[in-house]
Amino acid sequence: MDKVFRDWNFEQATMFPATIQDFVPPGHLATFVRNLVVEQLDLTPILNKYREKRGCPPYHPAMLTALLLYAYTQNIYSSRRIAAACTQRVDFMAVTGKQQPDFRTISDFRKRHLKPLGKLFQQVLRLCQQAGMVKLSHVSLDGTRVAANAAKDQTLKYGRMKRTAEELQKEVEEWLNKANKLDEAEDELYGADRSGDELPDWVADKQKRLEKLRQAQKELETEAQAEAEKEKQQEEQKEPQSRKRTATGETPEEDAKRNLSDADSRLMRTSHGFIQGYNAQLAVDADSQVIVAQMVSSDSSDCRQMAQMLEQIQSNTGDAIQEISADSGYYSEQNVELLEQEGIRGYIGCGRRDKDGTWHGDAGPNGKRMRSRINRGGKRSRYRLRKQTVEPVFGIIKSARGFRQFLMRGISKVSEEWSLIATAHNILKLAAQVKMAAVAG
């Protein structure tokens, strides 16, 4: 063969050791995220938790923060997959400096500092503002259902909880009574090294399930008592009326539901059926697709989230919105009135609209004026911006980045996890803007 190939000697040692900067090309996202954490973000709330001087020095919190943020930008959310990437991918090595924290360290760090990690969203958003990416001339609002870390079949009604708990209690008691009568036989069956009164695995599992059922029952009963007390106080404040409402009972309704795995999650309808999940909200700036507000709710109604989202946009950016668009899920007479009071020009779908512009469904005076505003715009209506602003962001997060289920459980933890997802999205937008500016310069 006359062709000459380059030498391929995988046992050849390098003359000079490689530095971290050699692992990835200049301007790589790994370098950007690492420098962002070290130079731009305030990690004081995380660093202040390290007070103990004794013991082995832990991994640097800034390194673990940068690792988590970079992993989220790379569609990697599991602590085990992140730990594996630290040993297999040079871009992750460029972030960690070739350190290799195990999955338990990564998981514990995320759990311990979940709240301050979620607060990084505001800091990254402010950096996007400083880069001129957030104009708030038009903001689109929407929600999506994201699956919880819980199964649908673990959602039980209060009445079924009581029956199941009684059945399990009876079954466990019967086995324990039988076990007490068969001590000698069990010594021979289980061996001399065991006392003979250990619970078999199937009983232990049922005891654990019984504990979950009782906890769920207790939570439902506590909620019912709190609701009854609240209604009682409201009735006492009202003037006597000829007809009084029947007070809410202090015990839950038989069909009150609670999930045993994640009590805060709810059964929610999606286009593909019902899921056990949460309602994840985003507000996105139309000029750059930067997320300016985000939240998670266990309420499936989008309508009841608008006021809180508007307040969060103002708090996060320190500026006022000029226009906002949202689909019909956010329509209510109160929401339209709220926008008018805040001086925000709104474009909210008030019912179902055909291609010819015909609206279906009831609408009040505010809704009818909103319909007229949207119709006047025709195909150029600002209402159409929501389809190219917030909906693609959901598509990117759920399809391109593969985030379709929360890892955490409980509304507080899930909210911070969603905040991390939004932070990673904005970091990618900021990195692209910085790169474009560098090329233009």
Side-chain angles (χ1 to χ4, degrees), residues 312-332:
Q312 190 186 138
I313 295 171
Q314 173 69 30
S315 174
N316 290 342
T317 64
D319 205 349
I321 314 170
Q322 298 177 29
E323 291 181 351
I324 192 168
S325 60
D327 62 23
S328 58
Y330 292 88
Y331 166 65
S332 72

Side-chain angles (χ1 to χ4, degrees), residues 18-35 70 74 89-96:
T19 64
I20 299 301
Q21 288 76 13
D22 296 331
F23 288 1
V24 293
H28 193 276
L29 181 62
T31 304
F32 177 83
V33 173
R34 185 188 66 216
N35 293 342
Y70 182 70
Q74 300 301 299
R89 291 179 51 166
V90 293
D91 54 339
F92 276 77
M93 296 177 190
V95 173
T96 64

Side-chain angles (χ1 to χ4, degrees), residues 319-382:
D319 205 349
I321 314 170
Q322 298 177 29
E323 291 181 351
I324 192 168
S325 60
D327 62 23
S328 58
Y330 292 88
Y331 166 65
S332 72
E333 289 290 283
Q334 293 79 9
N335 282 345
V336 177
E337 185 176 352
L338 175 63
L339 294 180
E340 293 177 353
Q341 292 173 353
E342 296 292 332
I344 302 171
R345 188 171 180 82
Y347 296 88
I348 302 178
C350 302
R352 184 173 59 85
R353 186 182 184 223
D354 292 337
K355 293 182 179 180
D356 61 0
T358 303
W359 292 91
H360 300 274
D362 296 331
N366 294 332
K368 290 177 180 178
R369 289 197 300 271
M370 183 68 68
R371 288 178 173 181
S372 298
R373 176 183 297 171
I374 294 174
N375 286 338
R376 285 196 302 269
K379 293 185 177 180
R380 296 179 178 271
S381 173
R382 308 284 284 175

Side-chain angles (χ1 to χ4, degrees), residues 261-327:
S261 300
D262 186 349
D264 293 334
S265 64
R266 296 290 183 269
L267 278 172
M268 296 189 176
R269 184 191 297 273
T270 71
S271 58
H272 302 288
F274 283 90
I275 65 168
Q276 187 73 30
Y278 290 94
N279 183 0
Q281 298 279 312
L282 288 181
V284 180
D285 187 273
D287 291 302
S288 58
Q289 284 193 334
V290 168
I291 299 172
V292 294
Q294 47 75 32
M295 62 173 287
V296 174
S297 173
S298 57
D299 185 353
S300 60
S301 171
D302 288 334
C303 180
R304 290 188 283 269
Q305 317 307 320
M306 174 169 280
Q308 189 172 345
M309 289 294 285
L310 292 177
E311 182 180 348
Q312 190 186 138
I313 295 171
Q314 173 69 30
S315 174
N316 290 342
T317 64
D319 205 349
I321 314 170
Q322 298 177 29
E323 291 181 351
I324 192 168
S325 60
D327 62 23

